[in-house]
Amino acid sequence: QLQLQESGPGLVKPSETLSLTCTVSGGSISRSSYYWAWIRQTPGKGLEWIGSIYYTGSTDYNPSLKSRIIISVDTSKKQFSLKLSSVTAADTAVYYCARHLNREPFDSWGQGTLVTVSS
Amino acid sequence: EIVMTQSPATLSVSPGERATLSCRASQSVGTNLAWYQQKPGQSPRLLIFGAFTRATGLPARFSGSGSGTEFTLTVSSLQSDDFAIYYCQQYNYWPSSTFGPGTKVDIK
């Protein structure tokens, strides 16, 4: 059974870079047709898709966040990662990693990790 | 950006009753519409995709309908396990997939 697990610091200072990693188990991160995504959830803005990556490294980013995002994949470690730069309090959220087919909904999710931006 | 709205914000229903949740898109999304269920402390769970196709293992009491800009999720007879927040998501426009604000279904 596919499992996704987010990891990373729970506290990030304003103006710094948020870094998270998602580890995939119970399935292949290199499986054809599947994309790997980051989604965040805040009380104010609700659920927001951040971006997705294919195992080849091809990415799609939310235009509203594109200038601050880098998503990368390491197939040897079965991991993909998110870097969000120049964070502010508005980036405080629960961050989820998830899986989806190309331009399809998210069919598997990690449990989520809370990241707080505060000095 | 496609704006998704959901109504009502909160729906109070007695167990065994029918629940009807609405989702509206600011532009047509065809049938590229999904529904998710989220319980406290858990991640969202995909229920419906393609506006009306149930995810594997989803009970038949859940059904989706609609196309274009108007969509409905119906739970024919609410069970105690169904009290949760439900979100719709349009995935017709990539890379600008967007979610609705959610409808909370609670016990009347």
Side-chain angles (χ1 to χ4, degrees):
Chain A
Q1 182 181 353
L2 185 75
Q3 292 190 350
L4 298 90
Q5 179 67 59
E6 305 88 352
S7 59
L11 182 64
V12 182
K13 290 182 168 53
S15 80
E16 295 190 344
T17 296
L18 179 159
S19 296
L20 294 173
T21 295
C22 182
T23 301
V24 178
S25 59
S28 173
I29 199 171
S30 303
R31 184 175 175 183
S32 179
S33 301
Y34 280 99
Y35 288 68
W36 306 94
W38 288 99
I39 299 153
R40 67 183 183 180
Q41 185 172 30
T42 62
K45 291 191 70 176
L47 289 161
E48 181 178 34
W49 171 72
I50 299 170
S52 298
I53 191 165
Y54 197 52
Y55 75 93
T56 58
S58 174
T59 54
D60 263 338
Y61 294 152
N62 186 322
S64 68
L65 297 168
K66 188 174 183 177
S67 63
R68 298 196 290 133
I69 299 170
I70 297 175
I71 297 177
S72 58
V73 64
D74 185 334
T75 55
S76 66
K77 293 182 178 179
K78 299 184 72 173
Q79 294 177 335
F80 62 105
S81 299
L82 168 69
K83 291 189 185 299
L84 177 65
S85 62
S86 305
V87 296
T88 69
D91 295 308
T92 294
V94 176
Y95 285 78
Y96 295 99
C97 57
R99 183 188 77 167
H100 65 101
L101 291 167
N102 190 22
R103 302 189 175 202
E104 293 289 332
F106 309 103
D107 63 2
S108 292
W109 296 62
Q111 65 183 26
T113 187
L114 174 62
V115 179
T116 301
V117 178
S118 176
S119 55
Chain B
E1 178 181 288
I2 307 302
V3 177
M4 307 300 291
T5 56
Q6 291 186 242
S7 61
T10 302
L11 184 62
S12 297
V13 184
S14 299
E17 288 188 341
R18 182 186 196 91
T20 302
L21 289 67
S22 296
C23 172
R24 175 176 291 180
S26 61
Q27 297 179 42
S28 175
V29 298
T31 56
N32 293 312
L33 190 286
W35 290 94
Y36 298 83
Q37 177 193 68
Q38 187 177 33
K39 297 177 183 178
Q42 297 185 17
S43 53
R45 168 196 173 196
L46 178 64
L47 301 179
I48 302 279
F49 59 96
F52 53 81
T53 302
R54 280 190 294 273
T56 302
L58 185 68
R61 64 180 182 272
F62 290 89
S63 63
S65 63
S67 65
T69 61
E70 302 280 345
F71 300 88
T72 301
L73 174 69
T74 302
V75 187
S76 60
S77 176
L78 270 165
Q79 308 297 304
S80 57
D81 192 46
D82 302 334
F83 292 97
I85 300 176
Y86 292 83
Y87 297 96
C88 60
Q89 176 213 2
Q90 69 79 16
Y91 53 96
N92 192 58
Y93 297 94
W94 281 90
S96 297
S97 177
T98 47
F99 292 85
T103 290
K104 182 179 181 181
V105 178
D106 65 16
I107 300 175
K108 188 174 183 179

